[in-house]
Amino acid sequence: MGRNTFLRLVNEAKKEGRNILYEYEVKNLLKSYAIDTTNPVFIRNKEQLESLNNINFPCVMKVVSTQIVHKSDIGGVILNIKNKEELLEAFEKIKNNTEKKGIKIEGVIVEEEVEKGLEIIIGSYKDPIFGNVIMLGSGGIYVEAYKDVSFRIVPINKRDAYEMIDETIIGSILKGFRGIKYDIFSVIDALIKVSNLIEDNQEIVELDLNPIYVYSQGIKVVDGRLKFV
Amino acid sequence: MSYLTLLKSLNYLFNPKSVAVIGASGTPGKIGYTILNNLLKGNFKGRVYPVNPNRSTILGKTCYKSVSEIPEQVDLAIIAVKADLVPEILAECEREGVKTAIIISAGFKEIGEEGKKREEKIAEIVKKGRIRVLGPNCLGVFDNYSGLSTLFLPDTRVEKPKPGNISFISQSGAMLAMFLDWMAKENIGVAKGISHGNRVDIDEADLIYYLAFDEETKVILIYLEGLDEGKGRRFMEACKFATFHKPIIVVKGGKTDAGSKAVASHTGAMAGSYNIYKAAFKQSNVIEAKDIQEMFDMAKALVMLPLMSENRVAIITNAGGVGVLATDALESRGFKVIELDEQTQRKLRENLPERCSVKNPVDLTGDASAEQYRIAINTVISLNYVDALYVCLLFQEPALGFEVLDYIYYAKEFGKPIISVIMGGGLAERISRIIENNGIPSYPTPERAAAALYALYQYSKIKQSYLKL
């Protein structure tokens, strides 16, 4: 099932000349691997947004564009939208922010606002010598600054997943640093599932699931990027 | 290629019955002279055939115009001719059914486009599947049991180590020469050394598979700069296979990434090649040393000592300060310097002078005698919660007699690893040599001993994980 979802998404992307999947597409792929994530709705224009029903407020709006790597850096993410009026305002704001910078956008996604958890990143990369590798680390926008990461060659087993947690500082916080316990088993489960996802779909060259929120029970992937060949 | 085929084909590389030296020379100082001369006057038992079209005899041996003229099957051809002649000569070797070749000559991939074309020609010949090739651009093979050495370095520059159980794989030839020389000075025995240069055919994985099987090799050391593209998985498979039988210690050269990659993802930005090698080493049970000295320190412990069941260590010392440093070094490596039980403490207190501290470390203080060491060693090493003994000896204290060395050897009977720290100057170094000749590894600082014991514990855990399967 996961493989079919991937192929469907990749075919659609290829038709549009893309070699990346949009955030909402990545999230669909994650769902097909039973990895917990948010439920984004893709909106192309104002008309679609106006006719949108069944929105649970507060919600979040994020820009969708092939030209943007870090959405929040250019004002492409708006949080805590409380009603329909604010939703339409948010859309205008994102349009303005991106137009000012000359960025072409495909639309936006609207999804539920989730409770903040401990931020981690799970990612993957195709190394020319070893092939697919998987990474766990401190998530958020400062991944490269903290350099708190651990790698393994894919596929990984549970022992590898445990060791990855042991090797990172974020891992010692996950294990319960000041009495706050996080759901370490869901992290291990997610690592194994991402490892399977990468093994199944060899076309993936880069994958960032960042941030992933870890809670006392469960995890949620809040943002994701995927590049394929 | 099946494992058996691989073993057989590589066996000709280390134990050839007949060797042709192509490019043999009668002029001292030339590579073709040194190699031939080393083979003839060394311990090599096989038959040696010089090949050079311009000579009839060299060093008193009949010289052949080409490989095809040699009257028997050639197991190994050592090729030391100008680079542009190599493809043709290798093609002839292949036609004549030569089993393996070591191409010493440089002037291939490493010099640019022209050399790369030459190397491709060699690869074409190898592809036919009848000949295995080590090199080009390498120092070749040193085998302390078959006596084969293709090193073209004079004895005055490189001392030969005694036969032993450590083997070393290195891309770099100079590193191999340094290894042999260092081991000779430290009086540590060596089984094999291989420099594989540009590895057009035989690579790290092949050599690891072979050494996994080699009876004389008990520890495999690797100096690794980088693997070729797409070769990572087979390297890992080979390491997993070999570490079931014996430990592998690696030093990775080139840990810093030159230049940045064009990647947009956080993961891609963090995926420097060293991060990935580190992961690969862990996943294939390879122990990583931080530098060459640490690798040799670790190798010494692994080749001399039995494995340890857990990580609890007892320290005995005649200097409080060294005991403190030893505790720090061990605990920072994840060892437990475990407290001795009441009964043992009482027993030590009854048998030792009052000035001694009977906790762990057991500090016999500066007045310690060999006899007091004997009492402490025998009491502590037999405890079922002590997995290794760590003995510090400062011979600057005149009270300490040399018979303490005998007491340490006797304690080997308990079947637990014993590691020693002997700090100081010339005397300390000489005693270290003596104690090591009797199978107790010795280190000049507490930290180096702790690093070596750490490798022993790492491999003990690896071995246990295999046995649990």
Side-chain angles (χ1 to χ4, degrees):
Chain A
M1 180 184 139
R3 176 66 179 159
N4 288 339
T5 307
F6 179 80
L7 289 175
R8 182 172 51 78
L9 293 167
V10 160
N11 278 337
E12 282 164 24
K14 276 183 178 165
K15 269 186 227 154
E16 295 170 19
R18 283 186 276 139
N19 66 344
I20 64 154
L21 294 186
Y22 292 133
E23 176 182 345
Y24 70 93
E25 294 171 318
V26 174
K27 287 178 175 174
N28 277 339
L29 178 64
L30 294 176
K31 281 178 188 163
S32 72
Y33 279 86
I35 299 167
D36 208 350
T37 183
T38 53
N39 304 290
V41 182
F42 180 47
I43 304 290
R44 284 184 193 278
N45 50 44
K46 201 174 171 186
E47 290 70 40
Q48 274 187 7
L49 190 64
E50 277 166 347
S51 61
L52 190 65
N53 292 316
N54 309 327
I55 313 161
N56 288 323
F57 293 107
C59 69
V60 180
M61 186 179 285
K62 298 188 207 172
V63 67
V64 174
S65 166
T66 51
Q67 298 177 2
I68 300 166
V69 179
H70 301 303
K71 291 183 272 274
S72 53
D73 291 359
I74 49 104
V77 179
I78 293 172
L79 304 169
N80 197 20
I81 301 167
K82 292 190 205 67
N83 49 48
K84 193 89 184 219
E85 201 175 290
E86 285 186 19
L87 191 69
L88 295 170
E89 272 173 33
F91 186 69
E92 290 306 317
K93 219 176 190 176
I94 287 182
K95 261 180 72 178
N96 282 337
N97 286 343
T98 47
E99 263 167 22
K100 255 192 291 180
K101 297 194 167 66
I103 297 166
K104 187 177 161 287
I105 70 169
E106 315 306 315
V108 295
I109 57 167
V110 175
E111 63 181 20
E112 74 275 23
E113 176 132 2
V114 296
E115 185 200 335
K116 203 157 186 287
L118 185 67
E119 286 187 333
I120 63 165
I121 176 172
I122 294 178
S124 142
Y125 177 74
K126 205 179 272 302
D127 178 72
I129 294 164
F130 290 96
N132 294 325
V133 301
I134 187 168
M135 182 186 92
L136 168 75
S138 294
I141 56 174
Y142 297 123
V143 174
E144 288 89 340
Y146 288 130
K147 294 187 171 63
D148 176 36
V149 294
S150 169
F151 280 88
R152 284 294 181 277
I153 316 294
V154 167
I156 59 164
N157 57 29
K158 270 198 180 146
R159 195 187 85 173
D160 296 320
Y162 268 107
E163 283 177 1
M164 290 174 86
I165 291 172
D166 278 342
E167 283 167 23
T168 50
I169 298 165
I170 198 77
S172 56
I173 298 169
L174 278 171
K175 282 187 267 185
F177 203 65
R178 307 189 53 159
I180 311 161
K181 286 245 181 190
Y182 292 96
D183 187 350
I184 223 166
F185 299 104
S186 288
V187 176
I188 289 166
D189 184 57
L191 281 166
I192 306 267
K193 282 173 176 166
V194 171
S195 167
N196 292 339
L197 184 155
I198 302 158
E199 277 287 279
D200 287 353
N201 306 297
Q202 293 289 331
E203 298 90 341
I204 299 173
V205 288
E206 281 180 51
L207 174 71
D208 264 359
L209 304 179
N210 180 40
I212 301 172
Y213 287 165
V214 186
Y215 306 110
S216 57
Q217 279 196 338
I219 59 143
K220 210 172 266 293
V221 178
V222 181
D223 198 356
R225 291 174 47 80
L226 186 154
K227 191 175 162 192
F228 60 87
V229 284
Chain B
M1 182 183 291
S2 77
Y3 186 50
L4 199 64
T5 315
L6 186 144
L7 288 185
K8 273 189 186 164
S9 63
L10 260 63
N11 206 33
Y12 292 114
L13 192 65
F14 296 98
N15 300 295
K17 290 197 170 60
S18 52
V19 176
V21 180
I22 305 175
S25 166
T27 315
K30 289 217 166 179
I31 290 176
Y33 173 88
T34 313
I35 291 175
L36 182 66
N37 192 38
N38 285 351
L39 283 177
L40 293 175
K41 66 166 209 214
N43 300 321
F44 182 60
K45 308 280 185 315
R47 293 172 294 278
V48 180
Y49 300 100
V51 176
N52 184 333
N54 307 318
R55 299 284 300 263
S56 55
T57 61
I58 297 176
L59 288 166
K61 300 275 289 184
T62 308
C63 191
Y64 296 85
K65 292 210 165 8
S66 73
V67 172
S68 56
E69 285 188 6
I70 296 173
E72 69 159 321
Q73 158 79 51
V74 173
D75 288 343
L76 171 67
I78 301 165
I79 302 175
V81 297
K82 277 202 206 109
D84 51 351
L85 299 175
V86 170
E88 200 184 313
I89 284 172
L90 187 70
E92 193 196 351
C93 288
E94 196 267 346
R95 277 199 306 277
E96 293 298 320
V98 174
K99 302 290 186 193
T100 51
I102 298 174
I103 303 173
I104 305 286
S105 321
F108 294 86
K109 192 172 68 183
E110 77 280 4
I111 61 155
E113 215 31 60
E114 193 189 342
K116 210 174 150 198
K117 274 186 199 139
R118 261 181 225 137
E119 197 159 311
E120 278 160 13
K121 281 186 199 159
I122 294 174
E124 285 299 313
I125 297 163
V126 170
K127 253 189 217 149
K128 294 182 186 172
R130 297 213 309 164
I131 190 166
R132 300 292 321 250
V133 172
L134 187 71
N137 184 28
C138 72
L139 224 48
V141 165
F142 173 88
D143 187 317
N144 234 343
Y145 291 90
S146 75
L148 178 77
S149 169
T150 63
L151 271 61
F152 51 89
L153 306 164
D155 297 348
T156 48
R157 290 295 179 106
V158 183
E159 242 186 286
K160 294 265 182 335
K162 66 182 183 188
N165 304 106
I166 298 176
S167 289
F168 183 54
I169 300 171
S170 165
Q171 272 162 294
S172 148
M175 292 289 276
L176 172 60
M178 175 277 296
F179 161 76
L180 296 173
D181 201 33
W182 188 324
M183 291 296 115
K185 177 205 139 218
E186 295 263 325
N187 200 26
I188 299 168
V190 166
K192 290 176 170 63
I194 307 108
S195 133
H196 54 67
N198 297 8
R199 59 188 168 193
V200 66
D201 175 27
I202 297 169
D203 63 8
E204 289 87 351
D206 289 321
L207 293 165
I208 291 164
Y209 273 122
Y210 183 81
L211 292 178
F213 164 83
D214 180 43
E215 272 178 30
E216 278 98 20
T217 300
K218 298 217 159 59
V219 178
I220 301 171
L221 308 184
I222 306 173
Y223 170 68
L224 185 70
E225 275 166 22
L227 299 166
D228 286 335
E229 284 198 4
K231 298 278 190 177
R233 300 285 171 134
R234 187 161 174 269
F235 173 80
M236 289 175 73
E237 287 307 316
C239 290
K240 275 188 222 168
F241 178 85
T243 50
F244 184 83
H245 304 279
K246 53 195 76 171
I248 300 178
I249 308 171
V250 68
V251 167
K252 176 73 176 70
K255 289 178 190 167
T256 47
D257 276 319
S260 57
K261 286 171 290 184
V263 286
S265 68
H266 292 291
T267 310
M270 290 309 299
S273 79
Y274 179 52
N275 269 336
I276 296 179
Y277 275 101
K278 247 176 25 188
F281 295 152
K282 273 188 198 131
Q283 279 171 283
S284 47
N285 295 325
V286 170
I287 298 164
E288 196 187 348
K290 72 173 196 298
D291 55 30
I292 291 288
Q293 183 180 63
E294 190 171 282
M295 173 163 76
F296 294 163
D297 283 349
M298 288 173 165
K300 216 157 69 172
L302 279 160
V303 84
M304 289 183 191
L305 299 177
L307 297 179
M308 55 198 296
S309 38
E310 280 182 61
N311 63 346
R312 299 159 301 185
V313 183
I315 304 169
I316 299 173
T317 179
N318 63 341
V322 179
V324 172
L325 290 175
T327 306
D328 286 346
L330 286 167
E331 298 216 319
S332 72
R333 290 275 183 175
F335 288 105
K336 287 185 195 138
V337 180
I338 194 154
E339 187 148 336
L340 302 177
D341 64 277
E342 289 282 328
Q343 204 189 331
T344 305
Q345 290 199 29
R346 209 177 313 128
K347 195 169 156 194
L348 286 170
R349 188 158 314 286
E350 279 163 17
N351 292 297
L352 292 171
E354 218 175 319
R355 59 161 210 279
C356 301
S357 167
V358 294
K359 291 184 177 143
N360 190 11
V362 178
D363 181 6
L364 302 171
T365 74
D367 290 331
S369 66
E371 173 61 15
Q372 285 155 9
Y373 262 96
R374 189 187 64 79
I375 293 165
I377 290 168
N378 290 344
T379 309
V380 166
I381 203 168
S382 56
L383 298 169
N384 62 6
Y385 58 83
V386 168
D387 304 305
L389 185 64
Y390 184 110
V391 189
C392 310
L393 301 154
L394 263 63
F395 281 99
Q396 291 79 8
E397 300 288 355
L400 184 57
F402 294 112
E403 64 274 27
V404 70
L405 300 178
D406 286 329
Y407 299 146
I408 296 172
Y409 310 149
Y410 298 153
K412 285 203 297 188
E413 278 182 29
F414 288 91
K416 291 180 185 176
I418 306 171
I419 203 160
S420 69
V421 176
I422 303 177
M423 297 176 81
L427 176 67
E429 217 176 290
R430 287 194 295 279
I431 294 172
S432 294
R433 213 48 43 78
I434 295 167
I435 200 168
E436 283 188 345
N437 283 342
N438 289 279
I440 307 284
S442 177
Y443 300 90
T445 70
E447 294 76 18
R448 284 174 62 180
L453 199 63
Y454 171 77
L456 186 76
Y457 180 56
Q458 287 302 304
Y459 188 64
S460 306
K461 280 204 295 191
I462 289 164
K463 208 63 199 256
Q464 281 166 13
S465 75
Y466 279 128
L467 296 173
K468 271 184 211 150
L469 283 177

